[in-house]
Amino acid sequence: MKRLAAAARIAIGATAIAAPLQTMAQVAGNGIDSPRKKPDQTTIAALRQRVPELMKEATVPGVSLALIRNGKTYLLQPFGMRDAKTGQRVTEETVFEAASLSKPVFAYGVLKLVEQGILDLDAPLSKYLPKPYVEGDARLDKITA
């Protein structure tokens, strides 16, 4: 139970880090938030400086950050401790227990689409499909995000 609680705290903390990083990238305006643009060295340096600050604010002991654009890795950076008791640091090979981190990250992405007017939470999801997922079932038009 202790491990689960610790994993949940880390997942929540990691989610708390993700939003400020995206905001920082958008404010910088250098394309780090665009999958088509190459990030510049100023942005990478800013990430290396800001991540430890965000980790401290969110009480996240360790994280690994990868910045990949068009299949090219521009940054692969471990931060912090893997195990504070033993002093083991996070490495590029560290495997993290994500504790269903995909759910809040996916929800964040969906809400960004809503914010941009791309997705309507009250519209049937079938509206966004090029063709019906299942033919002849009217219930599909009642499923919304």
Side-chain angles (χ1 to χ4, degrees):
M1 193 61 142
K2 280 185 177 181
R3 280 186 79 172
L4 182 59
R9 280 194 312 276
I10 290 168
I12 291 166
T15 304
I17 289 173
L21 283 177
Q22 180 172 359
T23 302
M24 182 181 84
Q26 289 171 338
V27 169
N30 57 18
I32 200 170
D33 60 328
S34 169
R36 306 214 190 289
K37 294 182 183 175
K38 175 183 171 184
D40 62 30
Q41 291 303 311
T42 304
T43 300
I44 291 172
L47 284 171
R48 285 186 170 134
Q49 178 182 348
R50 185 74 173 123
V51 169
E53 295 167 4
L54 292 169
M55 288 172 60
K56 186 174 182 178
E57 288 174 25
T59 59
V60 173
V63 68
S64 187
L65 178 68
L67 178 56
I68 303 166
R69 291 290 180 252
N70 294 323
K72 183 175 179 191
T73 303
Y74 290 94
L75 176 66
L76 183 56
Q77 179 79 48
F79 295 92
M81 294 290 170
R82 180 175 133 198
D83 187 335
K85 290 179 185 174
T86 64
Q88 289 180 303
R89 300 198 55 79
V90 174
T91 69
E92 292 175 3
E93 291 80 28
T94 300
V95 176
F96 289 90
E97 293 182 44
S100 296
L101 181 59
S102 60
K103 291 175 187 80
V105 170
F106 180 77
Y108 176 77
V110 167
L111 292 175
K112 292 301 282 183
L113 293 174
V114 170
E115 184 180 86
Q116 295 169 12
I118 296 170
L119 179 69
D120 178 358
L121 292 176
D122 296 320
L125 290 175
S126 58
K127 166 187 168 184
Y128 301 100
L129 299 174
K131 63 179 184 161
Y133 186 70
V134 177
E135 295 289 339
D137 193 339
R139 296 178 299 171
L140 293 176
D141 291 331
K142 295 180 181 182
I143 299 172
T144 65

